[in-house]
Amino acid sequence: HLKLELPEDYICYYCKLIVKEINFIIYEFYMLQNPNDKERPNYDYLYSLYNKIKYSDRKTIAIHISQDGTLEVRCNHNVDKKSIDDFVASHERWINKHLDSIINHEEKAIEIGSTILLLDKEYPLKKSQIDRTYFDGNAFMIDPNFTNADILSYLKKFYVSEAKKIIKQRVQFHSEIMRLYPTRVNITSATTRWGSCSGKNSLSFPWKLLMADIETIDYVVIHELSHIREKNHSNRFWNIVARYNPEYKKSKEKLRQLETRIREEKWEIN
C-alpha cells in the first residue's frame, strides 16, 4: 500500500503532521519511479489529515478544523469518497495555513494586566486595593489574592450575568419586529458556534458573544430567529436574514475576527 493510515477514532495533531509528511514522501517516491503514471491522484497524503466525516442534508461540502487540529469534512449523504478527497486536496493551502496557525500560536493568559473585550470595548484587569473583585465601568478590579482560575471564574460569571440581560433583550426586540418567537433563550458555554436554534425553537447563545458589538450580536440573534421559520441555510433563509439585517456580511467578518482573538486568549484552565 502506498498510503499510511492511523486509526480513525482519534489522531493527535502531531501524529497527523507526521503521517502527512510520510505520505507525501511516499507519493514523491512513487512519482519518481512512475513518472508517466497519469492516473495517480495527488491527494493521498492529504486524506490522512481528516479523520471525521459528518453527513447531513446540506448541499455543499465544508471543512471544519477544531482547536486540537482535527479536520472534519461536512457534506451531504450522497457525496462519495473521491469527491471528498478532491475537495480536501483543492483546499490544501487553506488547510495548511489554518493548521499552522493552531500549532504556532501561544495563548495569552487572562490575568492582572490583561485587557478583555466587552461589547467590543477593551477593559483592563487591574489589581484592586481591597479584597474584592468588581467592575467599576472602566476596568475590572481584581482581588489581589485571586489566582488565574479565580479570575476566569469571576469573569465567566460576569459575562453570563450580563449576557442574560443584554442578549435576551435583543432577542425580545427583534422577535417583535420579525414576528418570530422562540420558546426559550439560553446562555451557554458553547465554543464551536455563535448560536443555535433547536427543533422546538429554543435559542442558545454563548456568553462569549458579549465580547462583540451590539450590531454583531443583533446579526446572530436575527440569524437564529430566522431559523424558526427556515431550519436550514437555503436562499430563503438568507433572504430573511438580509431583510432584517442588510449588512449581515460585515457582521460575519467581525465574528471571524473575534474568533481569532478568542483563540489567542487562554479562557480555560488545564
Side-chain angles (χ1 to χ4, degrees):
H1 297 283
L2 291 174
K3 177 165 163 272
L4 178 66
E5 294 186 80
L6 293 179
E8 294 194 0
D9 53 347
Y10 177 74
I11 306 176
C12 71
Y13 174 75
Y14 295 101
C15 290
K16 286 186 288 186
L17 284 182
I18 294 172
V19 173
K20 172 189 171 183
E21 293 304 319
I22 292 175
N23 281 322
F24 180 73
I25 293 172
I26 293 173
Y27 164 75
E28 290 293 316
F29 178 78
Y30 179 90
M31 292 306 295
L32 286 174
Q33 299 297 315
N34 304 273
N36 297 319
D37 187 350
K38 302 300 183 181
E39 300 299 321
R40 180 65 181 162
N42 66 354
Y43 49 74
D44 270 1
Y45 71 96
L46 275 173
Y47 176 65
S48 62
L49 281 181
Y50 75 86
N51 65 324
K52 185 177 181 181
I53 303 175
K54 183 177 181 179
Y55 293 102
S56 67
D57 293 328
R58 66 181 298 142
K59 296 181 179 179
T60 60
I61 304 177
I63 295 172
H64 175 76
I65 301 177
S66 61
Q67 280 304 103
D68 66 357
T70 299
L71 196 156
E72 176 183 276
V73 177
R74 299 172 179 177
C75 61
N76 189 276
H77 300 279
N78 297 322
V79 178
D80 58 40
K81 178 181 174 298
K82 184 179 185 306
S83 296
I84 294 175
D85 290 347
D86 288 340
F87 184 82
V88 172
S90 69
H91 289 77
E92 175 187 2
R93 183 174 298 179
W94 182 89
I95 292 171
N96 288 335
K97 177 182 176 181
H98 282 73
L99 289 176
D100 288 342
S101 68
I102 290 174
I103 193 172
N104 291 327
H105 95 277
E106 294 184 7
E107 293 179 330
K108 300 175 183 177
I110 305 298
E111 56 191 3
I112 293 176
S114 302
T115 60
I116 60 174
L117 284 172
L118 176 63
L119 296 177
D120 201 38
K121 183 178 179 181
E122 299 276 1
Y123 290 95
L125 274 59
K126 296 183 178 181
K127 183 183 292 186
S128 175
Q129 298 302 311
I130 57 177
D131 294 343
R132 187 165 68 89
T133 299
Y134 59 96
F135 178 61
D136 67 4
N138 296 306
F140 288 92
M141 308 305 296
I142 306 299
D143 185 327
N145 301 308
F146 266 24
T147 64
N148 280 7
D150 294 329
I151 294 174
L152 287 179
S153 177
Y154 166 79
L155 291 176
K156 288 180 181 179
K157 290 178 181 177
F158 176 88
Y159 275 108
V160 169
S161 176
E162 293 300 305
K164 286 181 178 178
K165 293 182 289 186
I166 295 174
I167 295 179
K168 287 186 177 182
Q169 188 276 329
R170 302 313 296 168
V171 170
Q172 182 179 4
F173 175 79
H174 289 290
S175 289
E176 293 297 332
I177 294 175
M178 300 173 69
R179 292 292 186 265
L180 296 170
Y181 303 96
T183 56
R184 188 176 179 180
V185 178
N186 305 302
I187 302 301
T188 73
S189 296
T191 59
T192 59
R193 58 179 63 188
W194 289 111
S196 64
C197 176
S198 73
K200 296 183 179 180
N201 297 332
S202 174
L203 305 188
S204 297
F205 304 92
W207 57 262
K208 289 179 182 178
L209 181 58
L210 212 63
M211 297 179 184
D213 57 39
I214 287 294
E215 291 77 13
T216 302
I217 293 174
D218 282 349
Y219 157 65
V220 177
V221 168
I222 291 171
H223 183 115
E224 299 310 328
L225 284 172
S226 298
H227 277 310
I228 293 178
R229 181 168 295 166
E230 292 289 338
K231 303 292 188 187
N232 51 55
H233 289 100
S234 63
N235 289 336
R236 291 192 303 274
F237 167 82
W238 288 112
N239 287 338
I240 296 172
V241 174
R243 177 182 177 186
Y244 295 100
N245 191 339
E247 302 295 319
Y248 75 88
K249 291 183 179 179
K250 293 181 180 179
S251 294
K252 290 179 69 175
E253 178 57 34
K254 288 182 180 179
L255 285 176
R256 282 191 283 268
Q257 295 173 5
L258 180 56
E259 287 172 357
T260 300
R261 164 72 179 264
I262 291 174
R263 281 199 301 268
E264 294 173 350
E265 298 175 334
K266 190 175 180 61
W267 283 97
E268 303 297 331
I269 293 294
N270 297 328

